[in-house]
Amino acid sequence: MPSLNLLVAVCLGYVAFLFLVAAAAERAAWRGRVGWLRGPWVYTLSLSIYCTAWTFYGAVGYAARSGLEYLTIYLGPTLIMLGWWWGLRKLVRIGRAQRITSVADLISSRYGKSTVLAVAVTLLAVVGTTPYIALQLQSVTLSFAAFAHPDPTGPPSADADATALWVAAGLALFTVIFGTRNLDVNERHHGVVMAIAVEAVVKLCALLAVGVFVVWGLGGGPSSMLDRIDASPELARWQIDGARWAGLTFLSAAAFLCLPRMFHVMVVENEDEGHLRTAAWAFPAYVLLMSLFVVPIAVVGLDLMPAGANPDLFVLTVPLASGQETLAMLSFLGGFSSATSMVIVAAIALSTMVSNHIVMPIWLRAAGGGATRSGDVRHVVLLARRVSIVGVVFLGYLYYRLSGGGTALAAIGLVAFAGLAQVLPAMVGGLFWRGATRAGALAGLLTGFAVWLYTSFLPSFGPGVVLSAGVMADGILGQGWLVPHALFGIDGMDPLIHSVLWSLALNTAVFLAVSLLSFPQPLERLQGAQFVSALNAAGSPRGWRGGAAQTEDLMVMAQRILGAAEAQALFRREAGRQGLRGYLPEPTPEFLEVLERELAGSVGAATAHAMVGQIVGGLTVSVEELMAVADETAQMMEYSAKLESQRRELARTARQLREANEKLTRLSVQKDAFLSQISHELRTPMTSIRAFSEILRDAGGLEQRDQAKYASIIHDEALRLTRLLDDLLDLSVLENGQVSLNIREGGLADLLDHAVATALAGEAAGARLEVRRDRDAEDLRLVTDLDRLSQVFINLVANARKYCDADAPKLSIRVAERDGLLIVDFIDNGSGIPVDAQDVIFEKFARVGDQKAGGAGLGLAICREIMGRLGGTITYLPGQGGAAFRLGLPARAAMAAQ
């Protein structure tokens, strides 16, 4: 028999293999090679997360104890995939349209972005999943014990608790590493999903290998095996308890939809709803193969193993008893895969729910300024998710310790199923009934949760652990109608079916009654319309109240949640869709809807709604939007949609014309001011030159010192005049395309050194601008016109020196490579450029306000022309706390320094 050390080594090697698989998938996704990662087969295999250690080990034990009843656990999901695929398609489409991150997010989003409802579902999910995680830890611990103690009837190992603790710690570590790499949950966890797909193949192959060995190696072939099944006193009973079978089939179907891990892989990780077509037949086929040899293994195990042996471990102990140590090791890996994959995905899903719906709302309240505060909060969310993962896994370990680890695996799994099924009425009602309300969903959920706790979860610890033996036997305060397994005096029912019946019946009844007696809020009505009609038409944007002055605040908030690059790309894309240049789109209802959904992918729908609402000021509901949720005829809806589309197009065109007219007006004013300024700039040096030259000509007997002074003045004024004329000529040459570029290679760091030194030359030490740079990021070689690029750098640094109005002026120069571009940002800590002037600062004659340093307003216009000739761009970057300019050069112009 393999030693325990060998077993541990195999486990570590297998986990290392999964690390490599996950890392390779993450690297492939990072490089853009995601075609095979987004295929329908990887998606289908990821759905095998439903088949946990309960399926691998517990199904055989279930069959040995209850005959064919184990099939109900497979029938529910199979019926869902084959008969309700259109409902799954609706779920997936809603998930993508609303950027849903979890089952709690789905319920919250449907019922008016309710934070309270999201918290309730999250707490239910955590409590309901805890027994399931304990089941996985128990299965792994029992499998270790099977190798450590050859006697299958012996007592559990004294080291079982320590084994479970180490397994929990290892699973938490793996999940933290690969499950929290992305803040946006809608950015697929390619590494985790690929690891789960590999584990799906491993556990299937392992179970099939044991089954083939049992049927042909020990059973004498299919015919002899059928005879042994008929002869088995435990499995020869083909009687079916109709009520229990129907109840368990319904329960497994409900759990398939409501389990956080299933919702995560089925909806959140879905890349293409077309994958459901493959999964609709491939997943039932996978489940069929997983269940194919359950009965033969149970029959042979009952015949071969001594009385009192744990049937949950027959998949492992039968090969061991037969001397097939290699097969037993493969079987162990199959069970280990089943347990680890479930814990990993469940921990990811639950940590997302906890961070989005509990931690972030608390943070928003405690942070004072909330969404309008500066600073990056992504680390808060990621830290919350990592801590939540560890907490969720160790809650499962705590349940394992408190329950004693002696309960049959199937019994623990069914308790978890019953708890998580309480989400079903609110989910299905929200998808198909517009009249469902937040109050109804919350009341029904709390009622079902309380009944399940009292009738199933708390009794699962055993008499005297949580509920006393007296309460278990006689009810609370001796009230017989409150006996946990005989509510309302109805006795004799199976405890599980009793719990499921009362919890879901009362849940549904309260949900329907309260929904009918309450009236939904406007946002609930709008969300209800979008959810119910998700397969038919998209909903219209909501009427957020916004103003132009708030767009930069929205940019600041988005950068804190999404990251600077993602937020800037989003704002620039939306500005382009509105026909605007730059990074500041108008805060129209359409844009605010897009922004809210992007934020929802990172912090959940309820939190995203609250953060946008803090800045924008609230939600208004127009008459048109109220009509959109009414039950109009199809013709009216189609006609309204056409009118709405035309209205939006006209509004977009009018916005572009208004923007162009305002810009032309400002340019006209600035051009007049420029002509006046240019006249002054030309006249002043010419007057000085004329006056002092006349003095030199007409005044006799001037001392040598005075002659030198006047000549110096004439020289300086001539240089000033020359610079002005050079700028005008340079701009004219650039605009007419008459410039010849001098392409050569040089270092970016050297170029910036020269620009900073030139721009700051002659500056007084006390008033010197502090320049902050990252030398490592600047370690690049450029192939471009270095002189022209240096001219741009010098202009931007000089502008920061002249115009930054901070008490301690600072300039940060940041270099990065992104999306095929070399990005160089120049960001100072001053007051920045007013929003109404940001779109004209690169035009000729542009001068912002009463600039203390003067200037003709040609510098940035020249910079724009130079960058255009170099194949790059220069833009103003709002929302950075000061004046910020971004230069973009093609990456082919830059290469890493050798």
Side-chain angles (χ1 to χ4, degrees):
M1 177 176 293
S3 66
L4 192 59
N5 289 336
L6 176 60
L7 197 65
V8 172
V10 170
C11 286
L12 293 177
Y14 181 70
V15 171
F17 168 69
L18 292 181
F19 265 92
L20 292 176
V21 170
E26 292 281 358
R27 186 161 51 250
W30 181 76
R31 293 177 177 175
R33 302 172 183 173
V34 294
W36 58 282
L37 293 174
R38 294 177 176 173
W41 292 108
V42 172
Y43 176 73
T44 301
L45 288 174
S46 71
L47 295 179
S48 72
I49 199 71
Y50 179 80
C51 301
T52 65
W54 175 8
T55 303
F56 194 86
Y57 291 127
V60 174
Y62 200 173
R65 297 182 181 95
S66 307
L68 295 179
E69 192 176 277
Y70 80 94
L71 288 174
T72 58
I73 307 305
Y74 301 102
L75 283 177
T78 300
L79 292 176
I80 290 291
M81 294 301 295
L82 293 176
W84 207 61
W85 60 269
W86 53 273
L88 296 181
R89 184 163 65 99
K90 189 173 189 177
L91 266 180
V92 169
R93 186 168 296 182
I94 289 172
R96 182 170 306 137
Q98 301 285 334
R99 291 186 66 80
I100 300 299
T101 62
S102 65
V103 64
D105 202 24
L106 176 81
I107 302 299
S108 167
S109 180
R110 164 58 181 87
Y111 295 101
K113 311 296 178 72
S114 169
T115 301
V116 174
L117 197 52
V119 171
V121 176
T122 298
L123 294 177
L124 170 62
V126 171
V127 175
T129 306
T130 296
Y132 222 138
I133 294 177
L135 184 155
Q136 313 309 314
L137 298 178
Q138 179 175 329
S139 68
V140 175
T141 302
L142 290 175
S143 61
F144 268 100
F147 280 91
H149 299 277
D151 183 6
T153 63
S157 169
D159 297 330
D161 292 342
T163 301
L165 181 61
W166 280 109
V167 170
L171 292 177
L173 177 63
F174 182 92
T175 309
V176 166
I177 292 176
F178 287 101
T180 58
R181 298 171 71 89
N182 300 321
L183 177 58
D184 187 349
V185 180
N186 292 115
E187 293 181 11
R188 283 20 178 194
H189 300 92
H190 293 292
V192 172
V193 171
M194 195 62 208
I196 292 169
V198 170
E199 289 189 306
V201 176
V202 171
K203 62 190 178 189
L204 177 61
C205 292
L207 195 56
L208 290 178
V210 174
V212 169
F213 167 72
V214 165
V215 172
W216 279 273
L218 299 177
S223 179
S224 299
M225 181 56 65
L226 290 175
D227 293 338
R228 295 182 70 167
I229 293 174
D230 289 336
S232 172
E234 291 84 0
L235 292 167
R237 303 188 306 270
W238 295 91
Q239 296 89 353
I240 294 177
D241 184 345
R244 183 170 170 85
W245 269 63
L248 292 178
T249 300
F250 170 79
L251 184 60
S252 63
F256 185 73
L257 293 173
C258 301
L259 285 170
R261 69 176 191 275
M262 290 307 306
F263 188 90
H264 187 84
V265 296
M266 186 162 53
V267 177
V268 179
E269 296 287 349
N270 182 276
E271 297 277 359
D272 182 356
E273 65 183 49
H275 293 169
L276 288 171
R277 288 194 294 269
T278 301
W281 63 266
F283 178 73
Y286 181 92
V287 168
L288 174 64
L289 292 175
M290 288 292 292
S291 62
L292 186 61
F293 293 107
V294 167
V295 172
I297 296 173
V299 169
V300 171
L302 290 171
D303 291 344
L304 183 64
M305 304 305 295
N310 187 352
D312 286 331
L313 294 177
F314 281 171
V315 176
L316 190 60
T317 54
V318 167
L320 280 175
S322 304
Q324 299 294 323
E325 296 180 354
T326 302
L327 182 60
M329 187 66 71
L330 178 61
S331 174
F332 171 81
L333 285 180
F336 188 74
S337 295
S338 302
T340 55
S341 58
M342 178 271 159
V343 175
I344 289 169
V345 179
I348 291 174
L350 291 175
S351 69
T352 299
M353 294 162 70
V354 170
S355 67
N356 287 357
H357 305 303
I358 296 179
V359 175
M360 283 303 296
I362 293 175
W363 181 88
L364 277 176
R365 289 181 179 273
T372 60
R373 289 184 61 195
S374 61
D376 193 339
V377 300
R378 289 178 297 165
H379 68 282
V380 176
V381 183
L382 288 175
L383 178 62
R385 289 183 183 173
R386 288 162 182 161
V387 173
S388 300
I389 286 171
V390 176
V392 164
V393 173
F394 280 92
L395 276 178
Y397 172 74
L398 182 62
Y399 183 97
Y400 166 80
R401 288 292 304 271
L402 291 176
S403 64
T407 310
L409 298 181
I412 299 176
L414 290 172
V415 169
F417 272 18
L420 293 164
Q422 303 307 316
V423 178
L424 188 66
M427 176 187 287
V428 176
L431 290 177
F432 298 101
W433 183 29
R434 292 189 183 189
T437 68
R438 174 173 51 197
L442 183 60
L445 190 69
L446 293 178
T447 301
F449 183 47
V451 174
W452 168 75
L453 275 178
Y454 183 66
T455 60
S456 185
F457 182 75
L458 297 180
S460 70
F461 290 97
V465 178
V466 181
L467 296 180
S468 66
V471 171
M472 293 289 292
D474 302 322
I476 298 176
L477 300 177
Q479 299 294 316
W481 63 279
L482 290 178
V483 174
H485 291 163
L487 278 184
F488 306 109
I490 299 178
D491 200 359
M493 292 181 64
D494 177 84
L496 176 69
I497 300 302
H498 170 271
S499 176
V500 172
L501 172 64
W502 282 116
S503 62
L504 282 177
L506 292 175
N507 183 336
T508 305
V510 172
F511 168 61
L512 293 174
V514 176
S515 291
L516 291 172
L517 294 175
S518 59
F519 190 80
Q521 297 295 320
L523 182 55
E524 288 182 68
R525 296 281 289 170
L526 293 172
Q527 288 294 100
Q530 293 190 13
F531 272 60
V532 173
S533 61
L535 294 179
N536 300 323
S540 59
R542 298 189 295 273
W544 284 102
R545 295 192 300 265
Q550 296 163 341
T551 307
E552 197 157 357
D553 294 334
L554 292 170
M555 166 75 89
V556 172
M557 178 194 67
Q559 289 180 133
R560 294 164 56 209
I561 302 299
L562 304 176
E566 291 80 0
Q568 290 159 13
L570 169 65
F571 275 62
R572 190 168 192 175
R573 182 178 69 246
E574 294 304 315
R577 288 180 179 175
Q578 294 180 2
L580 305 176
R581 295 177 59 183
Y583 290 86
L584 293 181
E586 290 190 10
T588 61
E590 293 87 351
F591 166 67
L592 293 173
E593 181 110 357
V594 170
L595 176 61
E596 183 184 335
R597 289 182 180 173
E598 289 293 327
L599 295 175
S602 295
V603 296
T607 302
H609 181 71
M611 297 186 79
V612 174
Q614 280 191 6
I615 294 176
V616 173
L619 186 73
T620 61
V621 182
S622 65
V623 175
E624 291 80 4
E625 290 166 336
L626 289 175
M627 290 181 62
V629 299
D631 296 323
E632 300 96 344
T633 62
Q635 292 83 358
M636 182 177 290
M637 290 295 290
E638 181 180 1
Y639 181 66
S640 298
K642 290 180 179 178
L643 289 179
E644 178 68 16
S645 176
Q646 293 174 357
R647 186 191 68 79
R648 292 180 185 175
E649 184 61 30
L650 288 173
R652 180 175 180 272
T653 303
R655 188 185 306 117
Q656 290 176 313
L657 291 173
R658 185 171 62 253
E659 178 76 15
N661 181 62
E662 292 174 354
K663 184 175 179 180
L664 287 173
T665 300
R666 289 196 300 272
L667 287 176
S668 177
V669 172
Q670 290 186 350
K671 185 174 182 179
D672 292 340
F674 167 78
L675 293 175
S676 175
Q677 177 71 18
I678 285 294
S679 299
H680 175 73
E681 293 289 338
L682 290 172
R683 184 181 297 109
T684 298
M686 292 177 65
T687 300
S688 296
I689 292 171
R690 177 180 176 182
F692 286 104
S693 62
E694 287 178 351
I695 292 174
L696 291 176
R697 183 192 65 186
D698 299 333
L702 284 175
E703 295 183 2
Q704 186 67 26
R705 183 182 60 184
D706 291 335
Q707 292 181 5
K709 175 183 176 181
Y710 298 153
S712 178
I713 292 174
I714 293 173
H715 178 265
D716 291 342
E717 293 296 334
L719 288 179
R720 177 181 171 189
L721 184 59
T722 301
R723 282 195 300 270
L724 178 61
L725 295 175
D726 284 344
D727 284 346
L728 290 171
L729 181 60
D730 200 14
L731 182 59
S732 176
V733 169
L734 288 168
E735 287 182 332
N736 294 328
Q738 299 173 349
V739 64
S740 297
L741 299 179
N742 180 20
I743 305 298
R744 53 195 177 92
E745 182 180 337
L748 176 59
D750 296 337
L751 207 61
L752 287 171
D753 287 339
H754 171 72
V756 171
T758 302
L760 302 184
E763 187 177 28
R768 188 171 182 82
L769 175 71
E770 179 185 347
V771 180
R772 297 179 176 179
R773 297 165 56 186
D774 182 354
R775 294 284 179 174
D776 293 335
E778 296 172 4
D779 191 18
L780 297 170
R781 304 292 294 175
L782 300 175
V783 180
T784 185
D785 190 325
L786 301 180
D787 294 331
R788 287 292 185 179
L789 186 58
S790 177
Q791 184 179 349
V792 175
F793 289 168
I794 292 170
N795 186 280
L796 294 177
V797 177
N799 281 352
R801 178 180 63 83
K802 290 186 289 185
Y803 303 129
C804 180
D805 54 5
D807 293 335
K810 299 173 184 176
L811 174 66
S812 297
I813 302 178
R814 303 171 185 171
V815 178
E817 292 185 80
R818 188 180 306 137
D819 299 329
L821 289 176
L822 170 64
I823 303 296
V824 185
D825 291 339
F826 293 78
I827 305 173
D828 68 35
N829 63 336
S831 58
I833 296 176
V835 174
D836 58 357
Q838 291 174 8
D839 61 339
V840 296
I841 55 175
F842 294 103
E843 303 295 339
K844 292 179 291 186
F845 331 128
R847 300 175 71 244
V848 179
D850 297 326
Q851 294 179 339
K852 63 182 181 181
L858 295 176
L860 289 177
I862 292 174
C863 290
R864 184 184 64 178
E865 294 297 330
I866 290 176
M867 292 304 299
R869 296 302 169 189
L870 297 180
T873 59
I874 178 171
T875 53
Y876 184 78
L877 196 59
Q880 306 304 310
F885 294 89
R886 167 164 292 179
L887 305 183
L889 280 170
R892 63 179 182 273
M895 55 186 175
Q898 300 297 322

